[in-house]
Amino acid sequence: ILASVGDRDEAAEGQRVFEQLLSAEEHPVLLHMYARCLAVGPHAALRDPSKAERLVRRAIELAPGDVDMANTLGVALGARGAWAESIEQLEAAAKARGGGNGVDWIYLALAHANLGQTDEAKAYRAKAEPWIDEHEPKGQELKRVRAAVAALLD
């Protein structure tokens, strides 16, 4: 919901409402969705990677084994600059997913690129891009990540 709101003030109000819902009762899916928005949402001023990490860790406690939540934890770790931890978590998520998908791989490319590991970053980007083109060609989050990877590698 927050990711689809174009106006930053409307998104901030939506964020406040969402936090009220979360405080009433813990729902792992809502925690996960909100954590993703806080980690990599479209409005940089509303991002809070540390809070995203806390929320997604709680979601994982409530719903252990959810691969998408494991990916979001890796994304949140990267968003706060913990690139080595991000790689570890994203690799675990990819393994649990049976080898991974484009979302896992593009974030692995970003993490490796931020650590200066260009060969690994390029290999993950090469795997990610065809998957993204086929499965999520219009996804705004993945477009932003692809651009960040390109800025570091090209």
Side-chain angles (χ1 to χ4, degrees), residues 18-27:
F18 210 76
E19 286 182 1
Q20 289 174 348
L21 287 171
L22 288 175
S23 66
E25 188 172 341
E26 291 184 311
H27 296 279

Side-chain angles (χ1 to χ4, degrees), residues 19-70:
E19 286 182 1
Q20 289 174 348
L21 287 171
L22 288 175
S23 66
E25 188 172 341
E26 291 184 311
H27 296 279
V29 173
L30 293 178
L31 289 167
H32 173 233
M33 289 171 44
Y34 187 38
R36 190 90 184 184
C37 288
L38 289 173
V40 292
H43 301 289
L46 299 177
R47 292 183 195 150
D48 185 342
S50 295
K51 185 173 186 176
E53 180 185 348
R54 286 191 310 274
L55 291 174
V56 75
R57 285 187 188 280
R58 180 63 183 141
I60 291 168
E61 287 175 12
L62 296 169
D66 186 296
V67 178
D68 291 328
M69 291 179 193

Side-chain angles (χ1 to χ4, degrees), residues 122 125 146 149-154:
K122 288 178 180 179
R125 179 173 67 172
R146 286 174 92 167
V149 171
L152 291 167
L153 294 180
D154 297 339

